[in-house]
Amino acid sequence: MKKYKWRIYADENIDKEIIKSLRSSNIDVLWVTEDNSLIKQKDDLFHYKKARKLKRYLLTKDKDFWCDSKYLLHESPGVIIITTQNKNIASSLILLLKNLVDNYNPLDEPIYLNKLKVKLSDSGITLKILDHATQKKIVKFWNWEDLF
């Protein structure tokens, strides 16, 4: 199974501790707070589109990105929404997600998170994706205990 390096576009509401943890785990993180041209942009839709243009997953705590009427699912760069307030758990949840995608992939090619939205909480993971055949939205939840 071929792996690929994760590329994250972290918006300004992601804590510095999370950024440091992800970078120390060999994840390429572009943090809006460190880029003067990006920090000036306050429009969430701008960041949604910019992450897609840069082919990076959008990492955020902003639950508004879950809304498909404004942030279209089929145009998703791969949105990862952190809902826990615990910074240590937040970075661990992202690494757990990466572990799931990289190491439990039944396919012969890498899995990409584009056209997908993920909510990571203390209790589990929620995925929102379009069914390829029907183009209908599917939302699934798994407890962390059930996955490992």
Side-chain angles (χ1 to χ4, degrees):
M1 167 181 29
K2 185 177 175 185
K3 293 186 180 182
Y4 63 100
K5 184 168 179 147
W6 275 40
R7 299 182 57 206
I8 301 279
Y9 182 104
D11 75 7
E12 60 195 22
N13 63 23
I14 299 298
D15 303 297
K16 185 176 188 171
E17 295 83 5
I18 295 171
I19 300 299
K20 287 170 66 174
S21 174
L22 295 176
R23 287 178 174 161
S24 71
S25 297
N26 200 29
I27 294 178
D28 178 357
V29 180
L30 171 63
W31 191 23
V32 168
T33 303
E34 295 175 333
D35 187 316
N36 288 334
S37 66
L38 297 175
I39 193 67
K40 294 175 187 174
Q41 299 293 330
K42 298 295 181 194
D43 181 44
D44 286 343
L45 192 55
F46 169 86
H47 294 296
Y48 190 77
K49 290 179 178 180
K50 187 71 168 180
R52 181 177 172 158
K53 182 179 180 184
L54 296 174
K55 297 183 179 173
R56 290 178 176 267
Y57 302 146
L58 176 61
L59 177 63
T60 184
K61 289 184 177 181
D62 188 344
K63 295 176 189 158
D64 291 347
F65 286 107
W66 195 251
C67 175
D68 298 323
S69 60
K70 185 169 185 183
Y71 306 102
L72 302 174
L73 184 57
H74 72 277
E75 293 181 1
S76 173
V79 176
I80 303 168
I81 302 170
I82 302 294
T83 63
T84 183
Q85 298 305 312
N86 185 316
K87 296 172 193 171
N88 295 324
I89 290 175
S91 57
S92 296
L93 293 178
I94 299 162
L95 296 175
L96 276 172
L97 174 64
K98 183 181 183 316
N99 184 36
L100 280 171
V101 171
D102 288 350
N103 297 321
Y104 297 95
N105 175 5
L107 305 175
D108 290 333
E109 67 265 358
I111 294 175
Y112 298 100
L113 301 181
N114 59 325
K115 299 183 181 180
L116 173 69
K117 295 182 182 181
V118 181
K119 259 199 277 192
L120 302 174
S121 68
D122 296 325
S123 58
I125 180 172
T126 307
L127 294 179
K128 188 189 297 186
I129 192 166
L130 289 176
D131 180 87
H132 290 291
T134 65
Q135 290 300 298
K136 291 189 178 187
K137 184 177 7 180
I138 300 170
V139 179
K140 297 258 184 178
F141 173 80
W142 293 273
N143 288 312
W144 290 115
E145 308 85 57
D146 296 341
L147 294 171
F148 294 100

mmCIF file of all heavy atoms in Angstrom, residues 95-128:
data_model
loop_
_atom_site.group_PDB
_atom_site.id
_atom_site.type_symbol
_atom_site.label_atom_id
_atom_site.label_comp_id
_atom_site.label_asym_id
_atom_site.label_seq_id
_atom_site.Cartn_x
_atom_site.Cartn_y
_atom_site.Cartn_z
ATOM 1 N N LEU A 95 -3.893 12.395 14.618
ATOM 2 C CA LEU A 95 -2.940 11.320 14.344
ATOM 3 C C LEU A 95 -3.637 9.961 14.270
ATOM 4 O O LEU A 95 -3.251 9.109 13.456
ATOM 5 C CB LEU A 95 -1.821 11.325 15.384
ATOM 6 C CG LEU A 95 -0.948 12.586 15.366
ATOM 7 C CD1 LEU A 95 0.054 12.566 16.508
ATOM 8 C CD2 LEU A 95 -0.258 12.760 14.030
ATOM 9 N N LEU A 96 -4.677 9.764 15.074
ATOM 10 C CA LEU A 96 -5.471 8.532 14.970
ATOM 11 C C LEU A 96 -6.153 8.450 13.601
ATOM 12 O O LEU A 96 -6.181 7.385 12.974
ATOM 13 C CB LEU A 96 -6.529 8.474 16.066
ATOM 14 C CG LEU A 96 -6.102 7.945 17.417
ATOM 15 C CD1 LEU A 96 -7.228 8.138 18.440
ATOM 16 C CD2 LEU A 96 -5.710 6.486 17.342
ATOM 17 N N LEU A 97 -6.713 9.551 13.151
ATOM 18 C CA LEU A 97 -7.344 9.590 11.830
ATOM 19 C C LEU A 97 -6.326 9.246 10.750
ATOM 20 O O LEU A 97 -6.588 8.428 9.869
ATOM 21 C CB LEU A 97 -7.973 10.959 11.574
ATOM 22 C CG LEU A 97 -8.551 11.176 10.176
ATOM 23 C CD1 LEU A 97 -9.726 10.235 9.927
ATOM 24 C CD2 LEU A 97 -8.975 12.627 10.002
ATOM 25 N N LYS A 98 -5.155 9.860 10.830
ATOM 26 C CA LYS A 98 -4.099 9.575 9.855
ATOM 27 C C LYS A 98 -3.727 8.096 9.897
ATOM 28 O O LYS A 98 -3.560 7.457 8.856
ATOM 29 C CB LYS A 98 -2.875 10.452 10.118
ATOM 30 C CG LYS A 98 -1.765 10.249 9.101
ATOM 31 C CD LYS A 98 -0.579 11.116 9.417
ATOM 32 C CE LYS A 98 0.519 11.004 8.388
ATOM 33 N NZ LYS A 98 0.863 9.685 7.925
ATOM 34 N N ASN A 99 -3.609 7.543 11.084
ATOM 35 C CA ASN A 99 -3.292 6.126 11.244
ATOM 36 C C ASN A 99 -4.357 5.245 10.596
ATOM 37 O O ASN A 99 -4.048 4.279 9.895
ATOM 38 C CB ASN A 99 -3.136 5.795 12.728
ATOM 39 C CG ASN A 99 -2.710 4.366 12.964
ATOM 40 O OD1 ASN A 99 -1.929 3.808 12.199
ATOM 41 N ND2 ASN A 99 -3.226 3.768 14.014
ATOM 42 N N LEU A 100 -5.616 5.589 10.817
ATOM 43 C CA LEU A 100 -6.710 4.826 10.200
ATOM 44 C C LEU A 100 -6.633 4.864 8.674
ATOM 45 O O LEU A 100 -6.742 3.843 8.006
ATOM 46 C CB LEU A 100 -8.067 5.399 10.636
ATOM 47 C CG LEU A 100 -8.581 4.998 11.991
ATOM 48 C CD1 LEU A 100 -9.810 5.831 12.352
ATOM 49 C CD2 LEU A 100 -8.928 3.524 12.010
ATOM 50 N N VAL A 101 -6.446 6.067 8.139
ATOM 51 C CA VAL A 101 -6.419 6.235 6.684
ATOM 52 C C VAL A 101 -5.201 5.552 6.074
ATOM 53 O O VAL A 101 -5.292 4.885 5.048
ATOM 54 C CB VAL A 101 -6.462 7.736 6.318
ATOM 55 C CG1 VAL A 101 -6.206 7.957 4.843
ATOM 56 C CG2 VAL A 101 -7.801 8.339 6.716
ATOM 57 N N ASP A 102 -4.048 5.696 6.720
ATOM 58 C CA ASP A 102 -2.807 5.155 6.158
ATOM 59 C C ASP A 102 -2.657 3.644 6.356
ATOM 60 O O ASP A 102 -2.223 2.939 5.451
ATOM 61 C CB ASP A 102 -1.584 5.836 6.784
ATOM 62 C CG ASP A 102 -1.409 7.267 6.310
ATOM 63 O OD1 ASP A 102 -2.113 7.683 5.364
ATOM 64 O OD2 ASP A 102 -0.564 7.977 6.891
ATOM 65 N N ASN A 103 -3.017 3.156 7.536
ATOM 66 C CA ASN A 103 -2.677 1.776 7.879
ATOM 67 C C ASN A 103 -3.820 0.776 7.763
ATOM 68 O O ASN A 103 -3.579 -0.425 7.777
ATOM 69 C CB ASN A 103 -2.083 1.718 9.282
ATOM 70 C CG ASN A 103 -0.792 2.507 9.354
ATOM 71 O OD1 ASN A 103 0.000 2.480 8.439
ATOM 72 N ND2 ASN A 103 -0.608 3.230 10.435
ATOM 73 N N TYR A 104 -5.035 1.251 7.679
ATOM 74 C CA TYR A 104 -6.176 0.339 7.560
ATOM 75 C C TYR A 104 -6.907 0.522 6.239
ATOM 76 O O TYR A 104 -8.079 0.219 6.120
ATOM 77 C CB TYR A 104 -7.125 0.522 8.752
ATOM 78 C CG TYR A 104 -6.452 0.156 10.049
ATOM 79 C CD1 TYR A 104 -5.853 1.130 10.832
ATOM 80 C CD2 TYR A 104 -6.378 -1.170 10.466
ATOM 81 C CE1 TYR A 104 -5.199 0.792 12.018
ATOM 82 C CE2 TYR A 104 -5.731 -1.510 11.642
ATOM 83 C CZ TYR A 104 -5.142 -0.529 12.410
ATOM 84 O OH TYR A 104 -4.493 -0.861 13.565
ATOM 85 N N ASN A 105 -6.190 0.986 5.272
ATOM 86 C CA ASN A 105 -6.711 1.207 3.941
ATOM 87 C C ASN A 105 -6.758 -0.123 3.184
ATOM 88 O O ASN A 105 -5.722 -0.725 2.939
ATOM 89 C CB ASN A 105 -5.799 2.213 3.224
ATOM 90 C CG ASN A 105 -6.171 2.441 1.790
ATOM 91 O OD1 ASN A 105 -7.178 1.930 1.314
ATOM 92 N ND2 ASN A 105 -5.370 3.191 1.083
ATOM 93 N N PRO A 106 -7.945 -0.582 2.790
ATOM 94 C CA PRO A 106 -8.036 -1.853 2.067
ATOM 95 C C PRO A 106 -7.716 -1.724 0.581
ATOM 96 O O PRO A 106 -7.630 -2.729 -0.123
ATOM 97 C CB PRO A 106 -9.508 -2.237 2.256
ATOM 98 C CG PRO A 106 -10.216 -0.927 2.345
ATOM 99 C CD PRO A 106 -9.254 -0.001 3.063
ATOM 100 N N LEU A 107 -7.512 -0.513 0.101
ATOM 101 C CA LEU A 107 -7.270 -0.280 -1.323
ATOM 102 C C LEU A 107 -5.785 -0.363 -1.658
ATOM 103 O O LEU A 107 -4.929 -0.265 -0.780
ATOM 104 C CB LEU A 107 -7.814 1.099 -1.720
ATOM 105 C CG LEU A 107 -9.286 1.355 -1.388
ATOM 106 C CD1 LEU A 107 -9.659 2.790 -1.715
ATOM 107 C CD2 LEU A 107 -10.180 0.378 -2.128
ATOM 108 N N ASP A 108 -5.481 -0.483 -2.930
ATOM 109 C CA ASP A 108 -4.095 -0.527 -3.383
ATOM 110 C C ASP A 108 -3.504 0.861 -3.595
ATOM 111 O O ASP A 108 -2.327 0.988 -3.882
ATOM 112 C CB ASP A 108 -3.990 -1.323 -4.690
ATOM 113 C CG ASP A 108 -4.231 -2.803 -4.474
ATOM 114 O OD1 ASP A 108 -3.961 -3.284 -3.348
ATOM 115 O OD2 ASP A 108 -4.691 -3.468 -5.417
ATOM 116 N N GLU A 109 -4.324 1.879 -3.510
ATOM 117 C CA GLU A 109 -3.827 3.247 -3.667
ATOM 118 C C GLU A 109 -4.190 4.055 -2.422
ATOM 119 O O GLU A 109 -5.047 3.638 -1.651
ATOM 120 C CB GLU A 109 -4.401 3.909 -4.926
ATOM 121 C CG GLU A 109 -5.876 4.174 -4.882
ATOM 122 C CD GLU A 109 -6.702 3.071 -5.538
ATOM 123 O OE1 GLU A 109 -6.167 2.102 -6.073
ATOM 124 O OE2 GLU A 109 -7.928 3.202 -5.481
ATOM 125 N N PRO A 110 -3.508 5.196 -2.239
ATOM 126 C CA PRO A 110 -3.785 6.015 -1.052
ATOM 127 C C PRO A 110 -5.229 6.516 -1.042
ATOM 128 O O PRO A 110 -5.835 6.733 -2.081
ATOM 129 C CB PRO A 110 -2.827 7.194 -1.173
ATOM 130 C CG PRO A 110 -1.885 6.873 -2.263
ATOM 131 C CD PRO A 110 -2.486 5.781 -3.085
ATOM 132 N N ILE A 111 -5.757 6.690 0.152
ATOM 133 C CA ILE A 111 -7.076 7.301 0.321
ATOM 134 C C ILE A 111 -6.868 8.792 0.539
ATOM 135 O O ILE A 111 -6.059 9.190 1.379
ATOM 136 C CB ILE A 111 -7.813 6.711 1.536
ATOM 137 C CG1 ILE A 111 -8.142 5.244 1.306
ATOM 138 C CG2 ILE A 111 -9.089 7.507 1.841
ATOM 139 C CD1 ILE A 111 -8.767 4.555 2.506
ATOM 140 N N TYR A 112 -7.580 9.595 -0.213
ATOM 141 C CA TYR A 112 -7.535 11.043 -0.036
ATOM 142 C C TYR A 112 -8.841 11.489 0.606
ATOM 143 O O TYR A 112 -9.879 10.880 0.397
ATOM 144 C CB TYR A 112 -7.317 11.751 -1.377
ATOM 145 C CG TYR A 112 -5.997 11.383 -2.013
ATOM 146 C CD1 TYR A 112 -5.931 10.447 -3.032
ATOM 147 C CD2 TYR A 112 -4.813 11.949 -1.554
ATOM 148 C CE1 TYR A 112 -4.712 10.090 -3.602
ATOM 149 C CE2 TYR A 112 -3.591 11.603 -2.108
ATOM 150 C CZ TYR A 112 -3.552 10.679 -3.133
ATOM 151 O OH TYR A 112 -2.348 10.328 -3.678
ATOM 152 N N LEU A 113 -8.785 12.542 1.365
ATOM 153 C CA LEU A 113 -9.961 13.003 2.095
ATOM 154 C C LEU A 113 -10.760 14.058 1.341
ATOM 155 O O LEU A 113 -11.730 14.575 1.884
ATOM 156 C CB LEU A 113 -9.543 13.559 3.465
ATOM 157 C CG LEU A 113 -8.814 12.594 4.389
ATOM 158 C CD1 LEU A 113 -8.487 13.281 5.710
ATOM 159 C CD2 LEU A 113 -9.618 11.335 4.630
ATOM 160 N N ASN A 114 -10.376 14.381 0.110
ATOM 161 C CA ASN A 114 -11.160 15.369 -0.624
ATOM 162 C C ASN A 114 -12.575 14.839 -0.862
ATOM 163 O O ASN A 114 -12.797 13.639 -0.913
ATOM 164 C CB ASN A 114 -10.474 15.777 -1.930
ATOM 165 C CG ASN A 114 -10.225 14.621 -2.862
ATOM 166 O OD1 ASN A 114 -9.944 13.516 -2.434
ATOM 167 N ND2 ASN A 114 -10.326 14.880 -4.130
ATOM 168 N N LYS A 115 -13.512 15.762 -0.950
ATOM 169 C CA LYS A 115 -14.948 15.458 -1.087
ATOM 170 C C LYS A 115 -15.467 14.716 0.139
ATOM 171 O O LYS A 115 -16.374 13.895 0.052
ATOM 172 C CB LYS A 115 -15.230 14.680 -2.369
ATOM 173 C CG LYS A 115 -14.842 15.436 -3.620
ATOM 174 C CD LYS A 115 -15.200 14.684 -4.860
ATOM 175 C CE LYS A 115 -14.758 15.484 -6.081
ATOM 176 N NZ LYS A 115 -15.073 14.822 -7.314
ATOM 177 N N LEU A 116 -14.866 15.039 1.279
ATOM 178 C CA LEU A 116 -15.184 14.366 2.532
ATOM 179 C C LEU A 116 -15.069 15.378 3.669
ATOM 180 O O LEU A 116 -14.265 16.300 3.604
ATOM 181 C CB LEU A 116 -14.172 13.232 2.728
ATOM 182 C CG LEU A 116 -14.125 12.444 4.011
ATOM 183 C CD1 LEU A 116 -15.357 11.575 4.159
ATOM 184 C CD2 LEU A 116 -12.889 11.565 4.009
ATOM 185 N N LYS A 117 -15.892 15.210 4.677
ATOM 186 C CA LYS A 117 -15.801 16.013 5.894
ATOM 187 C C LYS A 117 -15.731 15.057 7.072
ATOM 188 O O LYS A 117 -16.411 14.030 7.088
ATOM 189 C CB LYS A 117 -16.999 16.952 6.040
ATOM 190 C CG LYS A 117 -17.055 18.015 4.950
ATOM 191 C CD LYS A 117 -18.231 18.951 5.142
ATOM 192 C CE LYS A 117 -18.305 19.974 4.029
ATOM 193 N NZ LYS A 117 -19.441 20.910 4.213
ATOM 194 N N VAL A 118 -14.886 15.405 8.029
ATOM 195 C CA VAL A 118 -14.651 14.560 9.198
ATOM 196 C C VAL A 118 -14.791 15.409 10.447
ATOM 197 O O VAL A 118 -14.242 16.506 10.510
ATOM 198 C CB VAL A 118 -13.223 13.962 9.169
ATOM 199 C CG1 VAL A 118 -12.986 13.064 10.369
ATOM 200 C CG2 VAL A 118 -12.951 13.228 7.868
ATOM 201 N N LYS A 119 -15.535 14.885 11.426
ATOM 202 C CA LYS A 119 -15.601 15.518 12.753
ATOM 203 C C LYS A 119 -14.935 14.577 13.732
ATOM 204 O O LYS A 119 -15.300 13.398 13.814
ATOM 205 C CB LYS A 119 -17.051 15.758 13.187
ATOM 206 C CG LYS A 119 -17.509 17.176 13.006
ATOM 207 C CD LYS A 119 -18.731 17.503 13.833
ATOM 208 C CE LYS A 119 -19.990 17.063 13.124
ATOM 209 N NZ LYS A 119 -21.203 17.604 13.730
ATOM 210 N N LEU A 120 -13.955 15.095 14.462
ATOM 211 C CA LEU A 120 -13.250 14.317 15.468
ATOM 212 C C LEU A 120 -13.651 14.825 16.847
ATOM 213 O O LEU A 120 -13.464 16.003 17.147
ATOM 214 C CB LEU A 120 -11.736 14.440 15.290
ATOM 215 C CG LEU A 120 -11.181 14.001 13.934
ATOM 216 C CD1 LEU A 120 -9.695 14.315 13.851
ATOM 217 C CD2 LEU A 120 -11.419 12.522 13.715
ATOM 218 N N SER A 121 -14.198 13.939 17.665
ATOM 219 C CA SER A 121 -14.630 14.321 19.013
ATOM 220 C C SER A 121 -13.979 13.395 20.028
ATOM 221 O O SER A 121 -13.309 12.425 19.671
ATOM 222 C CB SER A 121 -16.153 14.221 19.126
ATOM 223 O OG SER A 121 -16.558 12.874 19.059
ATOM 224 N N ASP A 122 -14.192 13.684 21.298
ATOM 225 C CA ASP A 122 -13.673 12.819 22.356
ATOM 226 C C ASP A 122 -14.228 11.401 22.232
ATOM 227 O O ASP A 122 -13.557 10.441 22.566
ATOM 228 C CB ASP A 122 -14.042 13.377 23.734
ATOM 229 C CG ASP A 122 -13.390 14.717 24.004
ATOM 230 O OD1 ASP A 122 -12.251 14.930 23.568
ATOM 231 O OD2 ASP A 122 -14.032 15.555 24.661
ATOM 232 N N SER A 123 -15.457 11.286 21.739
ATOM 233 C CA SER A 123 -16.112 9.977 21.705
ATOM 234 C C SER A 123 -15.890 9.195 20.415
ATOM 235 O O SER A 123 -15.994 7.972 20.413
ATOM 236 C CB SER A 123 -17.614 10.126 21.951
ATOM 237 O OG SER A 123 -18.173 10.978 20.973
ATOM 238 N N GLY A 124 -15.598 9.880 19.310
ATOM 239 C CA GLY A 124 -15.435 9.134 18.073
ATOM 240 C C GLY A 124 -15.233 10.007 16.856
ATOM 241 O O GLY A 124 -14.893 11.184 16.949
ATOM 242 N N ILE A 125 -15.488 9.404 15.720
ATOM 243 C CA ILE A 125 -15.281 10.048 14.427
ATOM 244 C C ILE A 125 -16.583 9.998 13.629
ATOM 245 O O ILE A 125 -17.252 8.970 13.585
ATOM 246 C CB ILE A 125 -14.129 9.347 13.668
ATOM 247 C CG1 ILE A 125 -13.871 9.978 12.304
ATOM 248 C CG2 ILE A 125 -14.369 7.862 13.536
ATOM 249 C CD1 ILE A 125 -12.624 9.435 11.622
ATOM 250 N N THR A 126 -16.927 11.121 13.023
ATOM 251 C CA THR A 126 -18.089 11.192 12.149
ATOM 252 C C THR A 126 -17.595 11.542 10.752
ATOM 253 O O THR A 126 -16.850 12.508 10.577
ATOM 254 C CB THR A 126 -19.087 12.274 12.624
ATOM 255 O OG1 THR A 126 -19.412 12.050 13.988
ATOM 256 C CG2 THR A 126 -20.348 12.262 11.779
ATOM 257 N N LEU A 127 -17.991 10.753 9.768
ATOM 258 C CA LEU A 127 -17.626 10.995 8.372
ATOM 259 C C LEU A 127 -18.864 11.414 7.589
ATOM 260 O O LEU A 127 -19.938 10.848 7.769
ATOM 261 C CB LEU A 127 -17.080 9.723 7.720
ATOM 262 C CG LEU A 127 -15.775 9.155 8.218
ATOM 263 C CD1 LEU A 127 -15.443 7.880 7.447
ATOM 264 C CD2 LEU A 127 -14.655 10.146 8.069
ATOM 265 N N LYS A 128 -18.665 12.369 6.724
ATOM 266 C CA LYS A 128 -19.710 12.767 5.789
ATOM 267 C C LYS A 128 -19.101 12.684 4.393
ATOM 268 O O LYS A 128 -18.067 13.288 4.117
ATOM 269 C CB LYS A 128 -20.180 14.191 6.069
ATOM 270 C CG LYS A 128 -21.397 14.588 5.251
ATOM 271 C CD LYS A 128 -21.749 16.063 5.359
ATOM 272 C CE LYS A 128 -22.138 16.516 6.719
ATOM 273 N NZ LYS A 128 -22.604 17.928 6.731
#
